[in-house]
């Protein structure tokens, strides 16, 4: 069974590795993470985690509904 976590992040770099590792322990197999204008290197870290099942995409939102637009986009993603 595959379990996918979908989330949005902005400047979460210091916490990402721990968050991904913890969710792996809980059984999450894939991650679909949308980033919003990061200035702390979060987006680069997410790209580096690709070999471990982390799919990083820029948030498709135009305006203020970042989470809802990302969730709508995630429904159509192959992960």
């Amino acid at each position: 069974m595959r379990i996918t976590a979908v989330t949005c992040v902005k400047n979460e770099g210091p916490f990402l590795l721990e968050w991904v590792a913890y969710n792996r322990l809980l059984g999450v197999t894939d991650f679909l993470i949308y980033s919003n204008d990061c200035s702390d290197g979060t987006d680069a870290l997410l790209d580096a985690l690709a070999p471990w099942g982390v799919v990083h995409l820029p948030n498709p939102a135009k305006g203020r509904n970042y989470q809802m637009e990302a969730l709508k986009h995630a429904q159509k993603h192959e992960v």
Side-chain angles (χ1 to χ4, degrees):
M1 175 172 56
R2 300 193 69 79
I3 299 171
T4 303
V6 179
T7 192
C8 297
V9 297
K10 180 174 182 174
N11 296 333
E12 302 288 343
F15 314 104
L16 277 177
L17 290 178
E18 180 181 3
W19 186 83
V20 169
Y22 178 74
N23 281 279
R24 279 265 191 244
L25 288 172
L26 295 177
V28 174
T29 55
D30 301 287
F31 297 85
L32 184 54
I33 302 177
Y34 293 89
S35 63
N36 301 327
D37 303 321
C38 297
S39 62
D40 72 342
T42 295
D43 46 358
L45 178 57
L46 289 169
D47 290 339
L49 292 173
W52 291 277
V54 175
V55 176
H56 168 233
L57 298 169
N59 197 311
K62 307 276 190 283
R64 296 179 49 157
N65 292 328
Y66 290 107
Q67 289 83 5
M68 292 307 296
E69 292 300 317
L71 289 174
K72 287 178 190 175
H73 186 268
Q75 288 179 324
K76 300 173 187 140
H77 200 276
E78 65 270 7
V79 174

